[in-house]
């Protein structure tokens, strides 16, 4: 395709999700010329793609899964529920885009291809799926940590004759289950949210479960006017607490260990947390939940006893018993998941005892026979955290591709930069708290740091910024050192990359919470320790546009 001309920008942001929207707002506010490109037909990133039935915020809840950069957002936006639905979060992001006039610098239906660094120009060049070419001094990869759907490589999957949908790439048109025999493969967060909703409508639902999950009641309910007013009245203090407490939510963690309480006190705590629901079941649980196998085992036993209480058929309950360490796979919140197995129209297939052999045009063939289906829902998750960066596959110094650089492990510094890839910044990349932190707040804080780093570079009339390999090695030790004191690395999960065949095994999440952001401040305060700046080789090439 003939290319017209090259468009010059200060910064190109890839992705119009939660992170990309804020990156645009923040960098544009600094006076940079910025554009956001996104391949989707709408803004919202993960919240655009994951419109499956039952999709909701599954963190500690509303109204704190939100931006904090503009107080008027909290004052103006009426969150309706404690665990907002996908539609509500998407509406919020649409409101943010309008309120801050972001849309004029966002290009939808525009995929970025072949990003490559030009060492002489100290700039990135990319091609777009619409036939354009963009040159930008800074490439901001806000591509999402849960944005590349994992379509399992099950023999025959493409032969299925009925509708086959992935929860992470859900159609924007209405999907009807009524009168249909539906199969769901996967029982992570997405499957567990979708299953009770699909069960209400489908003629029959068969759930194919590979690993049983610990799931806790979401107890979603309307957010009352009084609750919202109280948050608004105390917003300054709550905002400060969000920054100070682990996880990016405004509550302190329980500091007690399980051994400090009697068995009766422990049981009372577990019961209270179960009744209250939400992810506080983890956050407010004993402080050694994720470091002490015995404590973890007590919590696991409690949840298993709850599953047995809820599920009436003992054989089905047996299949639903999780046997990994609680919360070392992403903890799940549900609205009636275990109860769904008491319905006559729901069947559970345990793939550990009856594995899938192939998918045929008419259904799923397991070791014991064929389950005939009209519709298949793949709730099989994502190539998480590193997957979308690797698909973007930028080429850095000397044409080295990210796929080569990350063949064995995800080398990075602060989770934000990669040596050999100057002027490229990741948001929620491997090495950040990312998926184990309040994601909108984490994005704001990471992007603020990136903005300050860019400001430093421009203030000193420098041309490029890059992490050193030595700083990356020390950072890897820091991230892994923290993780290795926990139970997380012991479990196969999408955190460790175990869900994608061939992925390097690495726990790439910084578990330090607020400590991570202190580290960012330290690095900036020390004159950007571990980072090299290169003198500018030429005059800036982009014009300010507004
Ligand atoms: P998850 O948590 O990765 O769950 C995917 C599920 O699909 C999980 O139960 C997997 O079993 C199962 N799976 C994956 N591949 C297969 C194959 N080939 N056969 C059978 N079962 C399979 O993804 P979600 O979308 O549910 O959640 C991701 C995040 O999105 C979540 O944390 C929320 O924050 C939003 P496994 O456990 O790997 O044995």
């Amino acid at each position: 395709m003939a290319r017209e001309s090259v468009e010059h920008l200060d910064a190109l942001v890839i992705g119009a999700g939660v992170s990309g929207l804020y990156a645009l707002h923040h960098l544009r506010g600094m006076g940079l010329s910025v554009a956001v490109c996104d391949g989707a037909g709408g803004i919202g990133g993960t919240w655009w793609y994951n419109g499956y039935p039952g999709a909701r915020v599954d963190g500690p809840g509303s109204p704190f899964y939100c931006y904090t950069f503009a107080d008027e957002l909290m004052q103006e936006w009426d969150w309706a529920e404690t665990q907002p639905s996908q539609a509500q979060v998407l509406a919020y992001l649409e409101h943010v885009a309008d309120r801050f006039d972001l849309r004029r610098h966002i290009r939808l239906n525009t995929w970025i291809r072949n990003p490559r660094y030009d060492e002489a120009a100290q700039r990135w060049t990319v091609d777009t799926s619409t036939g354009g070419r963009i040159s930008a001094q800074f490439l901001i990869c806000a591509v999402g940590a849960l944005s590349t759907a994992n379509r399992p490589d099950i023999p025959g999957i493409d032969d299925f004759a009925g509708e086959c949908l992935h929860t992470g790439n859900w159609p924007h048109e209405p999907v009807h289950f009524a009168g249909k025999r539906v199969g769901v493969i996967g029982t992570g967060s997405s499957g567990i949210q979708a299953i009770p909703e699909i069960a209400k409508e489908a003629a029959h639902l068969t759930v194919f479960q590979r690993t049983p999950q610990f799931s806790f009641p979401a107890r979603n309910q309307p957010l009352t006017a009084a609750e919202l007013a109280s948050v608004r009245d105390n917003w300054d203090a709550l905002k400060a607490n969000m920054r100070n407490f682990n996880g990016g939510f405004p509550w302190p963690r329980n500091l007690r260990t399980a051994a400090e309480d009697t068995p009766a006190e422990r049981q009372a705590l577990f019961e209270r947390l179960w009744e209250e629901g939400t992810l506080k079941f983890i956050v407010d649980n004993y402080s050694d939940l994720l470091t002490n196998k015995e404590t973890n085992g007590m919590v696991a036993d409690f949840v298993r006893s709850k599953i047995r209480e809820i599920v009436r058929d003992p054989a089905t309950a047996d299949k639903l018993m999780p046997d990994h360490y609680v919360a070392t796979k992403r903890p799940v919140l549900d609205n009636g998941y275990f109860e769904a197995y008491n319905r006559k129209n729901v069947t559970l297939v345990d793939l550990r005892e009856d594995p899938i052999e192939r998918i045929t045009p008419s259904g799923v063939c397991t070791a014991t026979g064929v389950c005939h289906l009209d519709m298949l829902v793949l709730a099989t998750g994502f190539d998480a955290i590193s997957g979308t960066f690797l698909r973007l596959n930028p080429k850095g110094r000397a044409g080295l591709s990210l796929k080569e650089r990350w063949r064995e492990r995800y080398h990075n510094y602060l989770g934000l930069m990669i040596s050999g890839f100057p002027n490229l910044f990741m948001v929620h990349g491997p090495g950040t708290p990312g998926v184990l932190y309040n994601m909108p707040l984490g994005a704001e804080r990471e992007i603020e740091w990136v903005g300050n780093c860019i400001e430093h570079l421009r203030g000193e009339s420098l041309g490029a910024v890059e992490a050193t390999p030595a700083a990356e090695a020390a950072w890897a030790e820091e991230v892994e050192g923290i993780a290795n004191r926990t139970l997380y690395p012991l479990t196969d999960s999408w955190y460790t990359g175990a869900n994608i065949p061939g992925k390097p095994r690495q726990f790439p999440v910084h578990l330090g919470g607020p400590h991570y952001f202190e580290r960012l401040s330290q690095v900036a305060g020390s004159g950007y320790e571990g980072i090299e700046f290169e003198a500018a080789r030429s005059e800036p090439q982009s014009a300010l546009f507004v």
Side-chain angles (χ1 to χ4, degrees):
M1 182 185 299
R3 297 190 184 273
E4 310 269 296
S5 60
V6 180
E7 178 185 5
H8 285 83
L9 296 168
D10 290 326
L12 172 66
V13 178
I14 309 178
V18 168
S19 308
L21 294 178
Y22 181 66
L24 168 59
H25 176 70
H26 187 68
L27 298 178
R28 198 176 66 178
M30 286 169 49
L32 271 64
S33 56
V34 189
V36 177
C37 292
D38 195 307
I43 65 161
T46 290
W47 294 106
W48 163 263
Y49 284 105
N50 284 264
Y52 59 84
R56 291 184 177 279
V57 171
D58 59 356
S62 197
F64 302 111
Y65 180 90
C66 67
Y67 293 117
T68 62
F69 69 88
D71 289 344
E72 54 268 39
L73 275 176
M74 182 52 78
Q75 299 305 329
E76 289 169 3
W77 187 256
D78 291 329
W79 290 104
E81 292 176 295
T82 54
Q83 306 293 143
S85 67
Q86 172 267 345
Q88 289 169 33
V89 180
L90 196 56
Y92 171 75
L93 296 174
E94 300 268 356
H95 168 71
V96 171
D98 292 332
R99 181 77 173 73
F100 297 94
D101 189 22
L102 301 181
R103 290 186 199 273
R104 67 198 160 97
H105 291 140
I106 299 174
R107 299 168 204 174
L108 298 171
N109 299 303
T110 306
W111 294 99
I112 294 299
R113 299 197 171 133
N114 194 20
R116 61 254 182 214
Y117 185 66
D118 178 337
E119 295 187 53
Q122 297 170 304
R123 298 176 68 83
W124 285 89
T125 306
V126 306
D127 301 327
T128 71
S129 58
T130 52
R133 181 167 288 176
I134 301 172
S135 161
Q137 186 177 12
F138 303 105
L139 193 64
I140 314 293
C141 302
V143 296
L146 294 159
S147 47
T148 294
N150 169 36
R151 190 176 159 83
D153 194 13
I154 301 172
I157 191 161
D158 294 329
D159 301 338
F160 184 65
E163 276 173 285
C164 182
L165 306 175
H166 195 293
T167 48
N169 208 352
W170 200 256
H172 288 261
E173 302 73 45
V175 173
H176 302 290
F177 305 99
K180 295 180 186 164
R181 297 163 301 175
V182 181
V184 172
I185 301 179
T187 52
S189 303
S190 307
I192 286 178
Q193 287 186 332
I195 284 162
E197 298 304 316
I198 298 174
K200 285 178 199 161
E201 217 188 301
H204 195 89
L205 171 61
T206 306
V207 177
F208 298 91
Q209 168 196 268
R210 187 163 71 180
T211 308
Q213 259 285 14
F214 290 101
S215 181
F216 318 104
R219 309 254 185 250
N220 180 44
Q221 50 197 302
L223 196 64
T224 65
E227 284 165 327
L228 205 47
S230 162
V231 170
R232 286 172 175 160
D233 289 347
N234 297 294
W235 184 226
D236 284 344
L238 288 164
K239 247 186 340 186
N241 285 346
M242 285 167 74
R243 286 184 166 242
N244 290 335
F245 292 135
N246 246 357
F249 292 92
W251 309 283
R253 282 185 176 235
N254 182 356
L255 296 179
R256 291 179 76 73
T257 61
E260 291 175 83
D261 280 350
T262 63
E265 286 167 335
R266 287 196 287 266
Q267 185 68 17
L269 174 72
F270 299 155
E271 287 288 356
R272 176 172 70 74
L273 293 177
W274 185 268
E275 281 317 305
E276 287 176 9
T278 80
L279 220 50
K280 284 186 173 183
F281 188 86
I282 300 300
V283 177
D284 284 0
N285 220 306
Y286 290 113
S287 60
D288 56 344
L289 171 68
L290 278 152
T291 52
N292 183 322
K293 291 181 181 174
E294 222 177 309
T295 301
N296 198 284
M298 292 175 198
V299 177
D301 284 344
F302 175 83
V303 179
R304 286 190 282 258
S305 74
K306 285 293 176 192
I307 299 172
R308 282 195 203 286
E309 263 176 39
I310 297 169
V311 179
R312 286 200 287 270
D313 172 36
T316 303
D318 278 347
K319 294 178 189 171
L320 288 166
M321 289 299 137
D323 52 11
H324 52 278
Y325 294 114
V326 179
T328 53
K329 275 174 166 305
R330 171 61 156 83
V332 178
L333 296 184
D334 71 87
N335 288 288
Y337 171 65
F338 294 115
E339 290 82 350
Y341 292 102
N342 293 333
R343 298 178 66 105
K344 286 199 169 56
N345 68 334
V346 178
T347 309
L348 178 64
V349 176
D350 178 355
L351 299 179
R352 287 173 170 181
E353 60 185 37
D354 188 14
I356 296 178
E357 290 185 341
R358 61 178 300 106
I359 293 176
T360 68
S362 65
V364 173
C365 180
T366 65
T368 59
V370 180
C371 172
H372 294 283
L373 298 170
D374 303 305
M375 185 193 273
L376 194 52
V377 173
L378 304 173
T380 45
F382 301 90
D383 185 351
I385 307 175
S386 55
T388 310
F389 292 108
L390 283 164
R391 273 170 186 72
L392 183 67
N393 198 24
K395 299 191 181 61
R397 285 196 193 280
L400 182 74
S401 73
L402 191 65
K403 280 188 182 160
E404 291 165 83
R405 182 85 175 88
W406 278 4
R407 191 179 299 281
E408 315 243 302
R409 49 179 307 113
Y410 313 122
H411 302 279
N412 69 79
Y413 183 44
L414 308 174
L416 302 174
M417 307 169 80
I418 309 163
S419 86
F421 295 77
N423 291 356
L424 178 149
F425 295 96
M426 301 181 284
V427 189
H428 291 325
T432 63
V435 293
L436 282 166
Y437 194 79
N438 184 348
M439 292 192 88
L441 177 64
E444 286 178 328
R445 300 183 80 177
E446 291 173 35
I447 291 160
E448 278 164 23
W449 187 93
V450 169
N452 291 342
C453 182
I454 289 176
E455 206 158 70
H456 175 78
L457 177 148
R458 288 160 67 95
E460 304 282 321
S461 301
L462 299 163
V465 55
E466 183 179 358
T468 67
E472 288 188 331
W475 185 250
E477 270 184 39
E478 184 170 331
V479 175
E480 273 168 57
I482 302 172
N484 288 340
R485 295 200 291 274
T486 72
L487 303 174
Y488 280 109
L490 305 183
T491 297
D492 284 348
S493 67
W494 56 258
Y495 299 137
T496 60
N499 64 327
I500 303 294
K503 248 185 131 164
R505 176 105 185 186
Q506 183 182 342
F507 187 86
V509 185
H510 192 291
L511 292 171
H515 173 65
Y516 167 82
F517 296 102
E518 282 163 23
R519 292 285 287 114
L520 292 191
S521 303
Q522 274 169 13
V523 169
S526 68
Y528 292 98
E529 184 189 349
I531 292 171
E532 282 175 353
F533 290 89
E534 200 177 68
R537 299 219 174 107
S538 57
E539 287 300 303
Q541 293 182 17
S542 51
L544 178 75
F545 67 61
V546 284

